[in-house]
Amino acid sequence: MSFGEKVRYVRKKFSLTTGQLARLLNVTQSYISHVENNRRKFGRDKIALLADKLYIPVEFFLREDVKTLEQITFNNHLTAIFEDETYPNYFGVVDQAVKAKISPEELEQAIEFIKKYKRMY
């Protein structure tokens, strides 16, 4: 997704017109059109302002491997999981369950059983 496509995606995601986005960033409506059509680009100050006003990560506009806000949120969530020291142990257990052909439903039942057992003791 090009930079202009990302700006258009964000504008539509937040149900903004080109005029509303222009007022938000203190630029002209035609400038927004030029950006969305990849004829111009925002400077760092406008990227930071847009990200700040819409509460989205600046990296969304800077990274080429990210196409949607949901994707960057998911990527950030995965990063947090992998940085948590307890999760690798859980991934190992899930990997063993997959190798043993234990279905997700069976795994959920086992977890519920363990929760009940822990409450009893």
Side-chain angles (χ1 to χ4, degrees):
M1 184 180 289
S2 70
F3 180 80
E5 290 169 328
K6 286 183 180 184
V7 171
R8 181 177 286 125
Y9 163 81
V10 166
R11 179 177 61 77
K12 288 183 177 185
K13 181 105 175 135
F14 287 88
S15 302
L16 297 171
T17 65
T18 54
Q20 290 170 323
L21 184 59
R23 282 190 296 282
L24 185 73
L25 299 176
N26 197 27
V27 296
T28 65
Q29 188 172 351
S30 65
Y31 186 76
I32 298 295
S33 177
H34 285 295
V35 169
E36 288 186 356
N37 291 304
N38 293 304
R39 292 188 295 263
R40 307 263 326 251
K41 286 196 179 203
F42 289 142
R44 288 183 298 208
D45 60 329
K46 296 298 182 197
I47 294 171
L49 180 62
L50 178 59
D52 184 55
K53 293 283 187 183
L54 299 179
Y55 302 101
I56 57 177
V58 172
E59 68 179 309
F60 171 72
F61 296 104
L62 304 179
R63 289 181 49 187
E64 293 180 15
D65 63 328
V66 174
K67 298 187 185 323
T68 66
L69 290 174
E70 293 79 15
Q71 186 179 10
I72 201 161
T73 302
F74 180 73
N75 289 349
N76 288 344
H77 178 67
L78 278 183
T79 300
I81 287 173
F82 285 118
E83 288 175 353
D84 185 335
E85 293 176 5
T86 59
Y87 270 94
N89 296 332
Y90 293 116
F91 287 127
V93 170
V94 170
D95 185 50
Q96 289 177 8
V98 170
K99 287 177 183 173
K101 297 186 175 153
I102 295 173
S103 72
E105 294 80 17
E106 292 170 319
L107 194 54
E108 284 182 36
Q109 289 173 355
I111 291 168
E112 288 305 313
F113 174 78
I114 293 167
K115 284 179 182 177
K116 289 177 187 174
Y117 181 80
K118 282 180 75 176
R119 277 186 236 133
M120 291 172 59
Y121 297 99

